[in-house]
Amino acid sequence: MAKNIMVEENDSREIRRGLMLINGKWTESADGRFLNVETPTERGRVIGEVPRAGAEDVDSACKAAAMAFAGWRRIPPRERGFVLMKIADEIESKTEELARSLALENGKAIRTAARPEIKNAADLFRYYGGVAGELKGETVPLGDGVLTYTRREPLGVVAGIVPWNGPMSGSAVKVASALACGNTMVLKPSIFAPLTVLECGRICSKYLPAGVLNVITGTGAECGDLLARHPLIKHLSLTGSTQVGRSAMMASAERIVPVTMELGGKNPQIVFPDADDDRMAEGVIASARFINQGQSCASGTRVYLHESIYESFLEKLVKITNQMKTGYPLDETVDIGPLTNREQFDKVSTYIKDGISEQGVRVMTGGLPATEGPLAKGYYVKPTIMADVQHEWRIAREEIFGPVMSVISWRDEDDVIRMANDTLYGLTGFVWTYNIGKALRTAHAIEAGTIGVNQWAGNPPGHSYGGYKQSGVGKEFSLEGMLDGLTNRKVVTVNLKF
């Protein structure tokens, strides 16, 4: 196994103070409180602090966005798109400093995860900038004496709540799509990863009128819940756990506010007998999202291997995983950084312990976190593969949100489809086979919003991304999701006989 190393060159010990963006100004919270931001690379080490927003701050941000809406909505869509493209260019030009910031506060390895996320954020601003001009209506033929047409109109103030596992890409998709439609936004990043999002807000503020984008920081109870319930909010866009989504939907339901929600997942990967080669095994590991510390709602951590290739394919998975290096995220040779916070570290450790205690399980690589040495310094968990898992076990059914793969044997195709769909979730799924008929048949049978066939499914700009069942409501990352979720469709009928 590759040696784990901890490199901390050029790692500043300076504590960064972030401020909130409200109505074009950078401000503390109304009561002056701050929250510490820790780095997961070193337990207890504070790298920054951000305002702890309360009711007054939420109200100020929402009112600023409401005031700015009147002017922003009147700007032609293509001109709004040009603004988003300028933001994309500056984000891209600052990839390195933003990636370093993200790696330190979130734990993503800079080479494999942090830098790609910053580039993805720039791509999202550029994509929505390009499609802003597609906010078109249509005509309905009702006869020569009548003209009926539709308009796409913005909703108003959109609330965006972003998680800690993908703070930049999550912010970019929410901000860019809402603003492209003519809406304004109040954005709340997670308290565990707010610093890079605030830097993104600083870039945006250079090009946007005051109040069009407001960024506030605070806890879910003191800030997020109040934002979801605020009377000026016309749409809530949230990415987070299913539990958080359920609470936010209840808050929005009080005022019949529409929502877009990307929530949890426990996603299946089905490997057929003809897929027993290294390339397919590499794809399965990539789809488990170990490089994102397994902290991805879309990760395929339920792996169903056909019994005829079970041991040989399992050996390939272990070999590939053992070549991955876990360590300090700013080290360019590292593949996997630490989990983002103590709570998640403890949760994942508990799941691993529960899995190990199951009779008959084989821990093929990884296991419980180190208690001594460099990796014990932070919230590091090596990628863990557990073999001979039973479909009914907790580790195979509940979202762990860490680098833990459960491998399950299957024999009958109908039975493996049943197991794949036997879950509360339906975000992604993966199929591995060279038989195109079998691949498509299985892809169509899996109950999930996004299916990858012989590849990581992902959510690149242009794909309508969103889940079935308790994995979410609505779509993001696409023109269709933008039009359906972030505009009102108005029908105008004109009598031409007058």
Side-chain angles (χ1 to χ4, degrees):
M1 183 178 293
K3 183 180 179 181
N4 298 300
I5 59 176
M6 308 286 283
V7 177
E8 301 194 16
E9 297 177 1
N10 302 317
D11 179 4
S12 171
R13 294 273 158 171
E14 179 183 354
I15 294 178
R16 297 163 53 192
R17 168 168 281 201
L19 294 175
M20 298 186 295
L21 176 63
I22 298 178
N23 201 24
K25 298 178 181 179
W26 295 95
T27 180
E28 297 183 4
S29 63
D31 59 12
R33 295 182 302 163
F34 276 83
L35 290 164
N36 286 338
V37 181
E38 297 184 1
T39 175
T41 66
E42 187 177 334
R43 297 171 189 238
R45 177 187 157 200
V46 176
I47 61 170
E49 59 180 12
V50 295
R52 185 168 184 165
E56 186 175 342
D57 305 299
V58 172
D59 189 54
S60 296
C62 291
K63 287 178 177 177
M67 289 181 62
F69 174 63
W72 182 248
R73 70 176 300 178
R74 292 190 177 94
I75 296 176
R78 289 192 67 199
E79 291 186 22
R80 296 196 296 259
F82 294 153
V83 173
L84 298 179
M85 290 182 184
K86 291 177 182 178
I87 293 172
D89 290 342
E90 183 157 352
I91 290 175
E92 190 170 59
S93 73
K94 295 182 176 177
T95 294
E96 288 308 306
E97 61 186 85
L98 292 171
R100 288 183 63 84
S101 171
L102 183 60
L104 275 179
E105 68 171 336
N106 169 276
K108 292 176 183 282
I110 192 166
R111 174 179 56 85
T112 60
R115 197 174 287 130
E117 181 170 335
I118 302 302
K119 292 181 178 179
N120 179 247
D123 286 346
L124 285 164
F125 271 98
R126 191 167 288 123
Y127 169 77
Y128 283 109
V131 300
E134 297 303 310
L135 293 167
K136 302 173 182 177
E138 56 271 334
T139 58
V140 181
L142 294 180
D144 292 339
V146 179
L147 170 63
T148 296
Y149 63 95
T150 64
R151 288 167 48 88
R152 291 286 183 177
E153 299 183 347
L155 304 176
V157 182
V158 175
I161 298 179
V162 180
W164 43 259
N165 66 310
M168 277 295 287
S169 58
S171 296
V173 71
K174 295 184 189 308
V175 172
S177 60
L179 269 54
C181 293
N183 301 297
T184 54
M185 172 162 277
V186 179
L187 181 71
K188 192 199 90 67
S190 166
I191 59 172
F192 296 110
L195 296 173
T196 314
V197 175
L198 288 173
E199 286 303 310
C200 181
R202 188 175 299 278
I203 292 172
C204 293
S205 68
K206 294 181 181 181
Y207 304 98
L208 296 170
V212 170
L213 172 64
N214 305 271
V215 186
I216 57 177
T217 53
T219 67
E222 295 176 331
C223 181
D225 185 62
L226 293 176
L227 180 59
R229 295 177 185 275
H230 197 280
L232 290 176
I233 296 300
K234 304 303 181 185
H235 183 93
L236 173 62
S237 178
L238 178 145
T239 301
S241 69
T242 297
Q243 180 180 2
V244 170
R246 187 178 293 114
S247 298
M249 286 188 74
M250 292 175 65
S252 299
E254 294 177 2
R255 297 187 301 106
I256 322 295
V257 171
V259 298
T260 299
M261 296 200 171
E262 197 267 278
L263 306 176
K266 187 67 175 180
N267 310 294
Q269 301 201 58
I270 299 175
V271 184
F272 283 89
D274 66 320
D276 191 17
D277 60 45
D278 290 340
R279 189 170 69 164
M280 292 291 200
E282 289 170 357
V284 170
I285 293 296
S287 300
R289 305 305 290 155
F290 284 166
I291 62 170
N292 203 41
Q293 306 106 294
Q295 296 175 152
S296 171
C297 301
S299 61
T301 54
R302 270 194 300 153
V303 178
Y304 295 93
L305 298 184
H306 191 269
E307 62 179 10
S308 66
I309 62 167
Y310 190 86
E311 293 298 336
S312 58
F313 199 90
L314 183 60
E315 183 179 340
K316 294 179 178 67
L317 295 179
V318 172
K319 180 180 178 181
I320 294 166
T321 302
N322 285 346
Q323 292 171 348
M324 304 177 80
K325 186 184 296 184
T326 302
Y328 187 67
L330 292 182
D331 182 348
E332 293 282 355
T333 68
V334 160
D335 301 293
I336 305 163
L339 299 181
T340 300
N341 55 62
R342 176 62 182 267
E343 181 181 356
Q344 193 61 25
F345 175 82
D346 290 343
K347 176 185 173 184
V348 172
S349 300
T350 298
Y351 273 108
I352 293 174
K353 185 181 297 183
D354 287 351
I356 291 173
S357 69
E358 294 283 1
Q359 184 175 1
V361 74
R362 285 185 289 160
V363 180
M364 306 302 296
T365 188
L368 289 171
T371 56
E372 57 184 21
L375 295 185
K377 184 179 180 181
Y379 302 131
Y380 294 91
V381 176
K382 291 182 180 179
T384 298
I385 297 178
M386 295 191 182
D388 304 341
V389 172
Q390 298 299 308
H391 171 73
E392 296 79 15
W393 291 358
R394 183 168 174 249
I395 58 171
R397 300 190 65 80
E398 297 181 11
E399 185 178 36
I400 298 174
F401 220 62
V404 181
M405 177 186 289
S406 298
V407 183
I408 303 164
S409 178
W410 67 276
R411 175 185 301 173
D412 177 74
E413 186 174 325
D414 290 337
D415 190 48
V416 75
I417 294 295
R418 177 194 63 79
M419 289 190 290
N421 290 335
D422 182 24
T423 174
L424 297 174
Y425 302 109
L427 188 56
T428 65
F430 306 86
V431 182
W432 304 93
T433 176
Y434 288 104
N435 184 318
I436 189 63
K438 189 175 295 183
L440 294 180
R441 181 171 66 246
T442 306
H444 296 172
I446 295 176
E447 296 168 355
T450 299
I451 306 295
V453 176
N454 298 338
Q455 68 167 36
W456 156 243
N459 48 1
H463 281 210
S464 284
Y465 180 75
Y468 290 8
K469 298 187 273 192
Q470 293 190 25
S471 283
V473 177
K475 302 291 183 180
E476 290 186 305
F477 293 89
S478 65
L479 174 62
E480 295 82 6
M482 180 178 81
L483 294 176
D484 293 341
L486 294 167
T487 66
N488 279 319
R489 191 170 185 267
K490 177 181 285 184
V491 178
V492 180
T493 300
V494 182
N495 187 337
L496 300 179
K497 294 178 182 179
F498 285 91

